[in-house]
Amino acid sequence: MPQKRTRKTEAVKSRLLDRLRNGLYRPGDRFLSNRDVAEQFGISYQTAHRLIVELCAEGALERRPQSGTYVPGASKRFVGVQILFHRRASEDWSFGSKLLTLLKRTLDAERIDWCLDLAERYAPLKDDRLPIVWELPEVTAACARAEHQAVLINQRPASGFESLYVDGVSTDDFSGGVCAAQLLRDRTRKRRGFAVVAGPEDDARSRLRLEGFCSVLPAVVVRAGDWFYDFGYRAAAEVLQHAKHGLFCVNDQLAAGVIGWCREHGVRPPPIVGFDDAPIAESLNLTTISLPWEEMLAGVARAAKARLAGDRSAGSQQIFHPKPILRGWQSTAPSTP
């Protein structure tokens, strides 16, 4: 006589069906093994096996010999990547231009087929290509809505569904802010008289860089409101009143704006540290906290190759540590408290 079904067993089956209906699994995805079901739901291996067999018999799952249990249907395979960058990447000597050049070089070296779309806000997704996205938040949001996997560069996906479908490759912005403060502290041997030009208030990158800096040195913060040269230029007069011993700008374009203002007004700038190592930093001989460009793009290539090979697991995050690039002044031995 068959063993009577318990309420717990029925509840586990219901929860397994919920998982199959809520969008976390798509056609062709590998499902939980018998052992996974037993461990996650606190039931015996034999009960887990019976439930999986039932779900297969009902058509909710399918068994593949010597492979495992899968959601029925063929998985979608990408034939290449679709680079989706903000149109700013077409501007010479910009951060986006450098990132795009290095990305195309990396993809070519890895023999990954790519096509390019530049846009102001949004460009349509190509169903058979994996999007690699920079500075187009509407695109990453659309990927989440469409359950379309993607790779996001130099920013972390938003929490929730976006993080399930979008792989993030970014830098440790907090650590970079700490490095900037340590550089200024050790060069000047001062503990006061510093200021920061911050970027957009709603951007986590600016916030984390600022928080990292202020965890080491107290500073007067002037919020420029955006990332670009003109915003740094407009913030210069105010921030220089407080930057007696040094100034940290949360990206190189803001630093360039401050330096441009100083040149126009015949003012000698204090020691300045930028962030990113964009092309303009080298042209200005600016000390900056550099993104680990090569390491990040190698991470993008790894994520893309895994998705192109059929990996449909939840989104992952790769975070790389930035490093200081000294220009215009030499580092000193660490100061003592």
Side-chain angles (χ1 to χ4, degrees):
M1 178 180 296
Q3 187 175 2
K4 186 177 179 180
R5 179 69 56 87
T6 66
R7 288 185 179 179
K8 182 175 182 179
T9 302
E10 289 292 347
V12 171
K13 182 177 180 180
S14 177
R15 290 172 67 183
L16 291 174
L17 285 168
D18 285 342
R19 289 195 177 197
L20 292 167
R21 293 165 180 159
N22 66 12
L24 294 180
Y25 290 92
R26 289 167 291 177
D29 283 354
R30 188 186 188 100
F31 195 64
L32 301 172
S33 68
N34 296 345
R35 190 173 303 280
D36 290 334
V37 172
E39 291 178 353
Q40 289 188 27
F41 296 98
I43 59 178
S44 70
Y45 181 90
Q46 292 76 12
T47 299
H49 174 71
R50 286 200 304 272
L51 288 176
I52 294 295
V53 169
E54 282 183 24
L55 291 172
C56 289
E58 294 166 7
L61 293 171
E62 64 179 24
R63 291 287 298 173
R64 297 181 187 175
Q66 300 181 336
S67 179
T69 306
Y70 291 82
V71 179
S75 61
K76 181 174 66 177
R77 298 296 290 263
F78 297 119
V79 300
V81 305
Q82 178 186 12
I83 303 174
L84 287 154
F85 271 37
H86 192 281
R87 198 172 299 282
R88 293 196 305 274
S90 63
E91 299 171 2
D92 292 339
W93 293 94
S94 68
F95 175 96
S97 175
K98 178 175 180 177
L99 182 61
L100 180 57
T101 298
L102 293 175
L103 174 60
K104 290 190 290 187
R105 186 183 305 166
T106 300
L107 295 176
D108 286 341
E110 295 290 339
R111 298 183 179 180
I112 297 174
D113 183 66
W114 57 268
C115 64
L116 171 65
D117 287 296
L118 300 177
E120 289 290 338
R121 296 179 60 186
Y122 181 77
L125 301 173
K126 299 183 186 299
D127 191 58
D128 61 348
R129 287 184 176 268
L130 173 74
I132 297 180
V133 187
W134 175 72
E135 292 294 324
L136 292 174
E138 290 188 18
V139 170
T140 50
C143 289
R145 290 193 299 271
E147 300 179 5
H148 191 112
Q149 289 175 307
V151 180
L152 181 62
I153 303 182
N154 198 38
Q155 197 164 10
R156 300 178 197 182
S159 299
F161 283 112
E162 190 170 300
S163 65
L164 291 177
Y165 298 107
V166 180
D167 296 309
V169 181
S170 59
T171 191
D172 188 338
D173 293 291
F174 185 92
S175 179
V178 170
C179 285
Q182 291 171 336
L183 281 176
L184 286 172
R185 180 197 65 192
D186 295 345
R187 181 200 178 190
T188 64
R189 298 185 180 275
K190 302 294 184 181
R191 298 282 184 168
R192 297 287 186 275
F194 298 100
V196 177
V197 178
E201 292 189 43
D202 61 349
D203 195 303
R205 293 166 295 181
S206 175
R207 175 175 53 80
L208 288 169
R209 294 170 190 182
L210 171 62
E211 290 176 357
F213 187 93
C214 292
S215 72
V216 177
L217 291 174
V220 174
V221 179
V222 174
R223 300 187 183 278
D226 218 320
W227 295 105
F228 309 119
Y229 179 100
D230 290 347
F231 291 82
Y233 185 96
R234 290 199 289 267
E238 179 183 356
V239 78
L240 289 170
Q241 296 178 34
H242 307 286
K244 179 180 178 182
H245 297 303
L247 174 63
F248 172 48
C249 297
V250 298
N251 82 336
D252 295 332
Q253 285 288 343
L254 292 173
V258 173
I259 292 170
W261 186 94
C262 289
R263 288 177 176 175
E264 285 192 19
H265 292 80
V267 174
R268 182 177 179 180
I272 297 177
V273 176
F275 202 113
D276 286 338
D277 196 27
I280 198 170
E282 186 172 359
S283 68
L284 291 173
N285 204 33
L286 174 69
T287 289
T288 188
I289 305 302
S290 175
L291 297 184
W293 295 88
E294 302 295 338
E295 294 92 332
M296 285 177 62
L297 290 168
V300 170
R302 283 195 298 271
K305 290 172 75 173
R307 298 308 186 187
L308 292 174
D311 182 359
R312 294 295 179 267
S313 60
S316 63
Q317 301 295 311
Q318 299 180 67
I319 300 174
F320 297 88
H321 291 284
K323 54 189 177 184
I325 302 293
L326 302 180
R327 299 188 180 100
W329 44 274
Q330 298 298 316
S331 124
T332 63
S335 60
T336 56

